[in-house]
Amino acid sequence: DVKVTQSSRYLVKRTGEKVFLECVQDMDHENMFWYRQDPGLGLRLIYFSYDVKMKEKGDIPEGYSVSREKKERFSLILESASTNQTSMYLCASSFLGANIQYFGAGTRLSVL
Amino acid sequence: ELKVEQNPLFLSMQEGKNYTIYCNYSTTSDRLYWYRQDPGKSLESLFVLLSNGAVKQEGRLMASLDTKARLSTLHITAAVHDLSATYFCAVGHGNQFYFGTGTSLTVIP
């Protein structure tokens, strides 16, 4: 079974903190994605990566950065957390060619 | 930018009834995905549709794709309570996926 593991299910952070969300997949997928999910807005792509050290901006990259130093790990970084970044964050992975995506359990982040 | 529209956003239906969820998208694509999300859980893949006219069925759910109309449908037959969830369609374009806003389905006994 494909496994996409997100390091935390719930996080509470303060405004201005630097926040790291980690995602690890065990299927040797080339593609990895970070989405945020908000009620009524569906899933919006923040960043994705199709190879180690490669990254592409999605629809809403502002306030976020990413790191992919190893193929299996994709990190999302909030440089200075703000209250409007309170959301559910979902990591996903897939093989090249945008085949089926596999999702992690999600991290619910609250920024106070 | 590729747009994906789902309707309805909310659907409340009685057990035993049939209904269809619609997914329209704005740019040519031949890859369409349906996902299910239960409350507090992540997304689970239901169907992958890769060609015009593709139809897939699993239990009481059937998905179809019309690439010329840029439309996919998810048909629910004789709904049961276990189908209550949020359903998302997503369109594949290059290496990216574009998601609809989701349809929140509640099946009432």
Side-chain angles (χ1 to χ4, degrees):
Chain A
D1 269 0
V2 175
K3 209 163 193 180
V4 180
T5 304
Q6 293 184 230
S7 53
S8 305
R9 290 299 307 274
Y10 301 95
L11 272 180
V12 180
K13 296 291 181 181
R14 297 218 173 268
T15 303
E17 279 193 77
K18 191 167 185 175
V19 182
F20 293 86
L21 303 182
E22 305 284 346
C23 176
V24 177
Q25 51 94 4
D26 66 358
M27 276 301 291
D28 204 34
H29 285 163
E30 292 87 3
N31 291 342
M32 296 189 75
F33 307 80
W34 275 107
Y35 296 92
R36 67 177 278 178
Q37 183 178 19
D38 299 289
L41 296 176
L43 276 72
R44 293 180 292 167
L45 181 65
I46 305 171
Y47 270 96
F48 75 99
S49 168
Y50 53 88
D51 201 354
V52 174
K53 297 192 188 294
M54 305 303 288
K55 61 185 179 185
E56 294 280 344
K57 291 180 180 179
D59 298 321
I60 50 165
E62 296 79 18
Y64 303 94
S65 61
V66 290
S67 171
R68 193 161 180 207
E69 296 297 317
K70 294 186 178 181
K71 191 175 186 180
E72 67 270 19
R73 186 180 296 270
F74 193 35
S75 303
L76 179 69
I77 303 153
L78 286 67
E79 296 290 343
S80 177
S82 63
T83 54
N84 63 13
Q85 292 178 309
T86 292
S87 187
M88 170 71 91
Y89 291 87
L90 292 169
C91 174
S93 70
S94 76
F95 286 114
L96 270 180
N99 285 319
I100 186 172
Q101 283 187 311
Y102 296 87
F103 282 83
T107 297
R108 187 166 292 282
L109 172 67
S110 296
V111 182
L112 306 177
Chain B
E1 182 187 331
L2 197 155
K3 300 275 189 199
V4 182
E5 289 186 0
Q6 263 181 262
N7 67 84
L9 296 185
F10 298 94
L11 177 56
S12 180
M13 56 191 296
Q14 285 192 308
E15 277 190 334
K17 298 289 187 185
N18 304 335
Y19 208 83
T20 301
I21 299 170
Y22 297 89
C23 176
N24 290 91
Y25 53 98
S26 62
T27 302
T28 301
S29 173
D30 56 4
R31 285 174 282 136
L32 196 292
Y33 308 85
W34 284 96
Y35 292 87
R36 169 183 171 140
Q37 186 179 36
D38 292 297
K41 302 274 180 77
S42 192
L43 276 74
E44 172 194 351
S45 174
L46 292 174
F47 299 109
V48 181
L49 303 167
L50 298 177
S51 60
N52 186 41
V55 177
K56 291 203 174 174
Q57 183 161 4
E58 179 77 32
R60 299 172 190 275
L61 300 178
M62 184 173 73
S64 66
L65 177 62
D66 181 343
T67 58
K68 293 177 182 175
R70 297 179 190 165
L71 170 69
S72 179
T73 60
L74 180 66
H75 187 72
I76 302 152
T77 302
V80 294
H81 180 67
D82 285 352
L83 292 179
S84 296
T86 299
Y87 294 85
F88 290 93
C89 66
V91 175
H93 193 72
N95 270 324
Q96 289 199 49
F97 296 74
Y98 296 84
F99 282 79
T101 50
T103 296
S104 177
L105 170 65
T106 303
V107 180
I108 304 165

